[in-house]
Amino acid sequence: MNVEATRLLWPVPWGWSLHHHPITGSTNDDAKRAALSGCADRTVFVADEQTHGRGRLGRSWVAPPGCCLLCSVVFRRPVSPIALVALCSVSIVEAIRASSDLTPRIKWPNDVMLGDRKVCGLLAEVVGHGDSRATIIGIGLNVNLDPANGGLPVTATSLSHECPQSWSRPELLTAILVQIDRHYALEPSATVALVWPKWEALLWRKHQQVRIDSAEEIIEGTVVGLASSGALRVREASGRVIEVSVGDVLAP
Ligand code: BTN
């Protein structure tokens, strides 16, 4: 697709650059290469299909061709990776809410949920250092697919499955980038101050019981909120509140 056709099919807000590939290995790898070659802040890489999509903790990311939003954004401002994950998660929730009656929640640290099922995963990676440092946020959002037939985990869902309507991947991406800009246009400290309470308010299973599979131990307790570090605060049965910085949160 030439530059003009890409601009028409995948419009982006002012200040953004977009590169679209029908098929690629991983959009996170495309974004990392471009970041190391000096691409601008707010460059986004999109693909219809990935041959080596990656998830957190070394897992692979499965997405049938042409029906998911698979993209990676290069951020260069001095905002921490955890705050950028929060910013993007909140922006995805706000974009979905603006297009439907769905009420997504954020499963700490980086999944967007519809009910008890995952509709979107985010993957943060950092490249370079000093002034050349960039954070890549990869987004895998299940849009138009039947989760039972796409080879996805049984815990996954899609927007079309939860809300049967016409979902356009380019329109969703534009809506997400507009929401990102609302937060990212501020000073880095103001970005964090705006995003943190929204992230906390949207936490999946807030005030409810969870099990956390965290580096060699299982923690059980009630989700209380977030620490300023981005750790999840959980109240154990003893009443003690602990901060969890690594792990998978599960319904008990
Ligand atoms: C996770 O939930 O484990 C994170 C999944 C992130 C998947 C997206 S799809 C677009 C981008 N490219 C990748 O290879 N991974 C991310």
Side-chain angles (χ1 to χ4, degrees):
M1 211 186 304
N2 66 34
V3 174
E4 192 51 34
T6 302
R7 214 194 308 270
L8 288 171
L9 283 176
W10 290 91
V12 289
W14 184 87
W16 287 83
S17 308
L18 182 141
H19 301 270
H20 171 268
H21 298 291
I23 183 164
T24 191
S26 154
T27 56
N28 261 43
D29 291 341
D30 296 340
K32 280 163 83 171
R33 268 193 301 274
L36 288 170
S37 304
C39 79
D41 183 39
R42 291 190 297 164
T43 301
V44 56
F45 291 80
V46 192
D48 298 326
E49 181 179 357
Q50 296 183 127
T51 54
H52 294 86
R54 291 185 282 108
R56 277 175 70 223
L57 309 172
R59 296 170 186 147
S60 61
W61 183 258
V62 177
C67 38
C68 298
L69 179 59
L70 307 170
C71 63
S72 301
V73 180
V74 178
F75 292 106
R76 289 203 179 273
R77 290 190 196 158
V79 178
S80 69
I82 186 79
L84 289 169
V85 166
L87 183 160
C88 290
S89 312
V90 166
S91 299
I92 292 164
V93 168
E94 291 180 344
I96 294 172
R97 285 209 302 218
S99 321
S100 67
D101 291 334
L102 294 170
T103 52
R105 293 281 177 271
I106 300 169
K107 182 156 87 77
W108 181 91
N110 57 357
D111 293 342
V112 178
M113 306 290 286
L114 291 171
D116 284 344
R117 291 177 166 218
K118 174 168 170 173
V119 70
C120 177
L122 292 95
L123 176 66
E125 296 183 299
V126 177
V127 291
H129 29 252
D131 286 349
S132 71
R133 183 180 134 122
T135 302
I136 314 300
I137 304 291
I139 298 169
L141 174 60
N142 300 333
V143 183
N144 291 310
L145 70 158
D146 175 357
N149 286 331
L152 306 183
V154 287
T155 48
T157 192
S158 70
L159 292 176
S160 64
H161 183 72
E162 301 295 333
C163 178
Q165 66 179 42
S166 158
W167 291 95
S168 147
R169 292 177 302 140
E171 280 174 21
L172 270 168
L173 179 61
T174 306
I176 292 167
L177 301 184
V178 166
Q179 295 297 336
I180 289 175
D181 272 347
R182 286 182 54 224
H183 304 101
Y184 191 62
L186 308 170
E187 283 297 308
S189 60
T191 295
V192 175
L194 179 64
V195 162
W196 231 249
K198 291 190 183 186
W199 190 28
E200 189 165 50
L202 287 168
L203 277 179
W204 181 71
R205 293 193 72 80
K206 189 157 184 219
H207 306 309
Q208 294 178 58
Q209 191 75 10
V210 289
R211 288 175 69 232
I212 303 172
D213 192 347
S214 169
E216 293 178 13
E217 59 169 340
I218 301 287
I219 297 162
E220 293 191 338
T222 305
V223 174
V224 179
L226 293 166
S228 55
S229 62
L232 187 70
R233 299 179 68 239
V234 176
R235 179 174 291 110
E236 294 182 309
S238 64
R240 186 176 70 125
V241 174
I242 58 166
E243 294 186 2
V244 181
S245 13
V246 180
D248 273 335
V249 181
L250 309 163

